[in-house]
């Protein structure tokens, strides 16, 4: 064998070996923030606010009229196949009742299950990774108060090769940027609050940012909207560009987040109506204002970032 | 060659003018659909436009305690209740011509369409009722939001982008 070919083969083996670590031993590669011993119990009242902005109900509650809250089963039809949201009620067998705070933090910050398997980023840990430990622990405390429902959800139904779960190790290696939100000391607290809410628990970018071929958000087009969103529909540009929210006043944006009304007296449709109902409508006016001010301070980008 | 006068006779001139006017009128009527459907498209567009104005004012009237006027809210909601009670006849089968945003799926899923119209009619009625009975601003706003969700629910499925 020629030296070049042999060298290439060795390189390939090394790369494959290295890549296998994130794939098969993810716990070695990603570590979640540690919950300190004396962190104290979570506050379920605060947790309910985190739950609202986190929008958990919008995915984890089924779509049927009699669906049990957070018991899972909802199908997300994406270009990669169908994801089925799991049960996150405190049922010990079919929900997350057996999870510790550390398990919960790990799931939401690095996308790993308690038994060390990768989650698909349809679960937006790519945004939740920015959440504070306090918010995460409070959220868990709130979820612990929700009625436990015994419901074993179906697995995902993904197209080949996306069903190969260890492959997510490579995806994460290439695209996942973990880490808590760091406030910018040069910006006022309200702007930092808005940035945290939008980039972290609000996970707005997961729908409003266009994605690349591998389904990762394109950072340079953050919140610029997408011709085809996660569930196929067109997602608006929410940067202050004329093709986005540039023509909206602060008051109109606040009213939109509050009750879903648009400047011409129409109402938010499709997925956004549900997002608003489960989320921003339940926040304080101050938090809604923080979100609005953050969005208005973003660099204006044309639709789709093009 | 003999130079013949090209001036049309008075009769011909009148006929030409009549035909031009008729042609314009027919085109306009055809475009607006009023010839084919008797004006329902225009009526429902006016109705929706009025509902939009009502929604804007209801928003302004329920945002801040200082602007809350329960009587006015009741009045606006009652008018919306009246309008939304008469939507069915404004959507005759297949009336999708001209600048109408109504989608053919309205008549494919007529029952669902009627359900949205019925719901918004009921919810606006409820808003009028609670405003008349002394609802707080927050209660009125919550009910108004409920109305709004029915607006968007219908539009999502049955109105073009």
């Amino acid at each position: 064998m020629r030296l070049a070919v042999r060298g290439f083969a060795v390189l390939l083996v090394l790369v494959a070996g290295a890549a296998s670590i994130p794939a098969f031993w993810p716990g070695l590669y990603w570590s979640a923030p540690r919950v300190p011993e004396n962190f104290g119990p979570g506050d379920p009242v605060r947790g309910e606010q985190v739950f609202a902005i986190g929008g958990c109900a919008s995915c984890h509650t089924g779509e049927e009229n009699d669906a049990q809250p957070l018991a899972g089963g909802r199908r997300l039809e994406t270009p990669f196949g169908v994801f089925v949201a799991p049960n996150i009620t405190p049922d010990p067998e079919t929900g997350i009742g057996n999870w510790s705070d550390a398990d919960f933090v790990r799931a939401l910050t690095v996308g790993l299950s308690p038994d060390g398997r990768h989650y698909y980023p349809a679960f937006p840990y790519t945004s939740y990774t920015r959440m504070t430990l306090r918010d995460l622990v409070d959220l868990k405390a709130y979820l612990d108060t929700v009625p436990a429902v015994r419901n074993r959800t179906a697995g995902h139904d993904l197209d080949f090769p996306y069903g190969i779960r260890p492959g997510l190790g490579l995806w994460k290696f290439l695209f996942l940027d973990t880490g808590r939100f760091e406030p910018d000391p040069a910006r006022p607290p309200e702007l930092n609050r808005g940035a945290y809410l939008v980039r972290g628990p609000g996970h707005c970018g997961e729908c409003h940012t266009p994605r690349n071929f591998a389904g990762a958000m394109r950072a340079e087009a953050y919140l610029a909207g997408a011709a085809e969103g996660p569930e196929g529909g067109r997602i608006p540009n929410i940067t202050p560009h004329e093709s986005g929210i540039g023509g909206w006043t602060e008051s109109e944006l606040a009213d939109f987040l509050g009750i879903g009304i648009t400047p011409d007296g129409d109402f938010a449709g499709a997925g956004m109506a549900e997002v608003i109902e489960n989320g921003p409508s339940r926040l304080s006016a101050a938090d809604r204002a923080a979100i609005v001010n953050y969005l208005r301070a973003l660099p204006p980008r044309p639709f789709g970032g093009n | 060659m003999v130079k013949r006068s090209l001036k049309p006779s008075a009769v011909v001139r009148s006929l030409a003018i009549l035909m031009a006017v008729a042609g314009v009128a027919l085109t306009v009527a055809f475009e607006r659909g009023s010839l084919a459907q008797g004006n329902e498209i225009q009526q429902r567009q006016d109705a929706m436009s009025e509902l939009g104005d009502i929604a804007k004012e209801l928003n302004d009237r329920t945002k801040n305690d200082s602007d809350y006027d329960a009587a006015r809210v009741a009045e606006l909601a009652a008018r919306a209740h009246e309008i939304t009670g008469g939507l069915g006849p404004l959507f005759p089968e297949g009336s999708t011509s001209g600048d109408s945003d109504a989608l053919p799926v309205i008549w494919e899923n007529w029952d669902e369409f009627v359900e949205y119209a019925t719901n918004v009619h009921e919810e606006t009625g409820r808003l009028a009722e609670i405003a008349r009975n002394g609802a707080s601003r927050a209660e009125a706003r919550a009910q108004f939001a409920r109305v709004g969700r029915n607006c968007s629910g219908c539009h999502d499925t049955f109105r073009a982008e």
Side-chain angles (χ1 to χ4, degrees), chain A residues 195-208:
Chain A
Y196 173 73
L197 290 172
V198 171
R199 302 191 87 107
H203 70 286
C204 314
E206 303 284 342
C207 274
H208 285 276

Side-chain angles (χ1 to χ4, degrees), chain B residues 7 27 35 51 65 67-68 82 89 98 110 118 137 146 152:
Chain B
K7 254 178 27 192
T27 309
L35 193 73
L51 286 171
D65 289 327
D67 297 317
Y68 181 53
E82 189 186 346
W110 182 253
T118 307
R137 183 198 61 79
R146 213 164 286 128
S152 60

Side-chain angles (χ1 to χ4, degrees), chain A residues 181-196 290 293-294 297:
Chain A
F181 174 78
E182 289 301 325
D184 182 350
R187 292 181 133 187
E190 200 211 32
L191 211 51
N192 278 313
R193 175 67 179 161
Y196 173 73
N293 285 316
Y294 174 69

Side-chain angles (χ1 to χ4, degrees), chain A residues 42-189:
Chain A
D43 175 357
V45 174
R46 269 199 88 252
E48 192 171 8
Q49 280 283 286
V50 180
F51 173 73
I53 188 60
C56 322
S58 297
C59 276
H60 287 281
T61 300
E63 281 172 301
E64 317 82 52
N65 286 337
D66 59 349
Q68 308 261 48
L70 306 183
R74 180 152 173 167
R75 297 160 57 88
L76 198 75
E77 296 188 18
T78 74
F80 303 96
V82 180
F83 292 97
V84 179
N87 178 350
I88 58 169
T89 70
D91 184 71
E93 280 179 55
T94 63
I96 62 171
N98 275 338
W99 286 29
S100 65
D101 284 356
D103 288 333
F104 189 75
V105 167
R106 197 161 84 130
L108 272 76
T109 56
V110 297
L112 289 174
S113 70
D115 58 356
R117 297 185 314 145
H118 292 295
Y119 286 121
Y120 286 91
F123 172 46
Y125 54 83
T126 37
S127 290
Y128 293 154
T129 188
R130 299 196 180 86
M131 288 172 69
T132 63
L133 215 48
R134 176 58 57 200
D135 275 358
L136 289 165
V137 171
D138 286 345
L139 174 58
K140 170 76 165 50
Y142 171 71
L143 290 177
D144 286 339
T145 68
V146 167
V149 175
R150 188 182 169 74
N151 181 34
R152 193 175 300 283
T153 54
H156 305 319
D157 182 13
L158 302 176
D159 302 335
F160 182 81
Y162 309 113
I164 304 171
R165 201 176 274 266
L168 284 168
L170 181 63
W171 189 93
K172 284 173 162 180
F173 175 77
L174 292 172
F175 301 117
L176 179 62
D177 193 10
T178 58
R180 189 176 332 170
F181 174 78
E182 289 301 325
D184 182 350
R187 292 181 133 187

